[in-house]
Amino acid sequence: MAADTRVLEDLRAAILRGEFAPRQRLVEAELCEQFDASRFSVRAALQALEADGLVERQRNVGARIREIGIEEAVEISEVRQVVEGLIARRAAERANDAEAEGLAAIGREMHAAVAAGEVAEYSDLNARLHASLREIARHEKANDIIARLHGQMVRHQFALSRQPGRSKVSVWQHQAIIDAVVARDGDAAEAAMRAHIASVIEALRAIR
Amino acid sequence: MAADTRVLEDLRAAILRGEFAPRQRLVEAELCEQFDASRFSVRAALQALEADGLVERQRNVGARIREIGIEEAVEISEVRQVVEGLIARRAAERANDAEAEGLAAIGREMHAAVAAGEVAEYSDLNARLHASLREIARHEKANDIIARLHGQMVRHQFALSRQPGRSKVSVWQHQAIIDAVVARDGDAAEAAMRAHIASVIEALRAIR
DNA sequence: TCGCGGAGTATTGTCGACAATATTGTCGAT
DNA sequence: ATCGACAATATTGTCGACAATACTCCGCGA
């Protein structure tokens, strides 16, 4: 069964988990051993990951983990800003009552996590909120793009969540998004999401 | 040199030129003959094109040209709407005088083409206008995404340009975008681009 | 006539071996 | 000591052969 699929998923997960450093070389033979697979499978996985933008390859030289600098992270976030804006708008337009209540619940948990100073918990809730919005929006193309961009951002996302005091700011931005969706106000939802990601971009620029 | 790269480019160009029908099967052996290449190269090309969303593959069954229905074309256009909106905004923020004049010139040519009823010429200018905006905006990530989405839309784009009377409507929308960029008004540029693509979406829905 | 195996065929999946290329290391000349 | 050419090595690129799988069509029984 699907040997190359398994390698692809394992390798992608390992990269996303941060097990490889940026610009680290990915030698095919080593990966073969590490994942107990043939070069064939490894090669296919590398090609797929290149398309995902997680790996870069040079002909006759090999593959390495793509390094995503701050400037590129900002560009990615700018695209996310508008595409997640679209998602928020659609979510506001399509949410049913149960879905709206689910979002509101996440909002309450967020406030609680911030009050308790639970950083990891908050970061988790953040992911759940965005995922819920994507699910409610049911916009396949937009979701695909966000997923791809998200993969390239994991490292910086992590750095952001470690920034002290960040959650105290963003929790109100998240609340604004939730309120807009609950009120079924598409314009407001898009604007709130944009404002939220604008602040992410600012924080990103402040990191270096 | 680079056997698989050549096959990839040739095959992609052939698909974009519409030489394969939607859902048409792409048998590896046939492609080998057609492009005078080994199965190895063909397979690599198919994998890459799958990532591009141009072909779909099923394990142990094979590859076929992906069919993009109206609903999906609408979704693609909705994403384009916001991403090209971002591009238009950036273009307005960054255009220098020469670039602004270049856009204005394209606008004048467009009016002339519409007046003369030159459909093909107008469609060409349309492509040039959007390309110019992308170049001025210098937003790599946004440009990548648009390129990918554009590849999936070629068939429908063609159908749209054949719609009689469409150019008379869109020429003024294009002019609004150009005016906004020339005025260096980012908000107006984004709004104009969104309005333009909103009308594309309407036309798309009207096709069937 | 219809449904149901089952062989045969078409097509893709996987691999190991070898070729091509880039990188690294070595030696000699200046 | 430094630079260049050349050899050695590491790594990826390419291919052809075979295995595995899905599809097709035929014959058989009810």
Side-chain angles (χ1 to χ4, degrees), chain B residues 185-200:
Chain B
D185 185 337
D187 287 338
E190 179 176 6
M193 179 62 87
R194 281 205 186 199
H196 168 49
I197 300 187
S199 123
V200 170

Side-chain angles (χ1 to χ4, degrees), chain A residues 51-116:
Chain A
D52 278 357
L54 293 174
V55 164
E56 64 186 353
R57 298 168 77 194
Q58 279 180 62
R59 189 182 177 74
N60 290 318
V61 175
R64 51 183 45 193
I65 301 288
R66 258 196 66 198
E67 172 161 49
I68 281 135
I70 295 290
E71 332 73 43
E72 189 174 355
V74 169
E75 275 209 353
I76 291 171
S77 299
E78 285 169 346
V79 175
R80 273 192 54 197
Q81 195 174 24
V82 295
V83 178
E84 295 234 41
L86 169 63
I87 288 172
R89 172 183 294 277
R90 290 259 298 204
E93 288 166 354
R94 299 163 95 99
N96 60 38
D97 291 346
E99 290 166 335
E101 170 48 31
L103 292 177
I106 291 176
R108 287 191 295 272
E109 289 187 64
M110 278 182 152
H111 283 288
V114 171

Side-chain angles (χ1 to χ4, degrees), chain B residues 2-4 38-41 59-61:
Chain B
D4 53 0
S38 70
R39 261 188 74 200
F40 180 88
S41 308
R59 189 179 178 75
N60 290 319
V61 174

Side-chain angles (χ1 to χ4, degrees), chain A residues 5-207:
Chain A
T5 304
R6 182 184 61 78
V7 176
L8 173 57
E9 286 174 7
D10 287 359
L11 182 52
R12 169 182 282 130
I15 294 175
L16 260 34
R17 239 178 291 122
E19 290 183 17
F20 298 92
R23 301 202 48 83
Q24 177 175 341
R25 287 195 59 188
L26 299 173
V27 178
E28 295 180 359
E30 290 174 8
L31 297 175
C32 290
E33 214 180 326
Q34 187 171 345
F35 293 98
D36 189 44
S38 69
R39 263 189 75 203
F40 181 86
S41 307
V42 169
R43 209 156 223 297
L46 287 175
Q47 199 187 331
L49 290 170
E50 183 183 27
D52 278 357
L54 293 174
V55 164
E56 64 186 353
R57 298 168 77 194
Q58 279 180 62
R59 189 182 177 74
N60 290 318
V61 175
R64 51 183 45 193
I65 301 288
R66 258 196 66 198
E67 172 161 49
I68 281 135
I70 295 290
E71 332 73 43
E72 189 174 355
V74 169
E75 275 209 353
I76 291 171
S77 299
E78 285 169 346
V79 175
R80 273 192 54 197
Q81 195 174 24
V82 295
V83 178
E84 295 234 41
L86 169 63
I87 288 172
R89 172 183 294 277
R90 290 259 298 204
E93 288 166 354
R94 299 163 95 99
N96 60 38
D97 291 346
E99 290 166 335
E101 170 48 31
L103 292 177
I106 291 176
R108 287 191 295 272
E109 289 187 64
M110 278 182 152
H111 283 288
V114 171
E118 310 247 23
V119 190
E121 173 73 8
Y122 181 75
S123 153
D124 200 58
L125 285 164
N126 177 36
R128 266 179 55 199
L129 172 58
H130 285 270
S132 292
L133 288 170
R134 286 199 296 276
E135 200 185 324
I136 295 169
R138 277 184 196 79
H139 198 294
E140 242 181 89
K141 270 279 158 338
N143 290 357
D144 285 353
I145 288 172
I146 292 298
R148 188 191 308 270
L149 295 178
H150 184 78
Q152 303 175 5
M153 285 283 296
V154 278
R155 187 167 302 272
H156 297 284
Q157 213 96 41
F158 185 74
L160 275 181
S161 73
R162 286 277 170 207
Q163 233 177 26
R166 174 108 195 91
S167 56
K168 285 188 180 52
V169 181
S170 69
V171 68
W172 289 109
Q173 299 170 348
H174 284 138
Q175 190 60 55
I177 298 169
I178 293 171
D179 290 344
V181 174
V182 170
R184 311 300 199 277
D185 184 339
D187 286 338
E190 179 177 6
M193 178 62 86
R194 282 208 188 198
H196 169 49
I197 299 187
S199 122
V200 170
I201 292 174
E202 256 184 76
L204 215 46
R205 286 208 168 97
I207 278 185

Side-chain angles (χ1 to χ4, degrees), chain B residues 77 157 160 166 173 195-205:
Chain B
S77 299
Q157 213 97 42
L160 276 180
R166 172 111 192 91
Q173 299 170 349
H196 168 49
I197 300 187
S199 123
V200 170
I201 292 174
E202 258 184 73
L204 215 46
R205 286 209 168 97

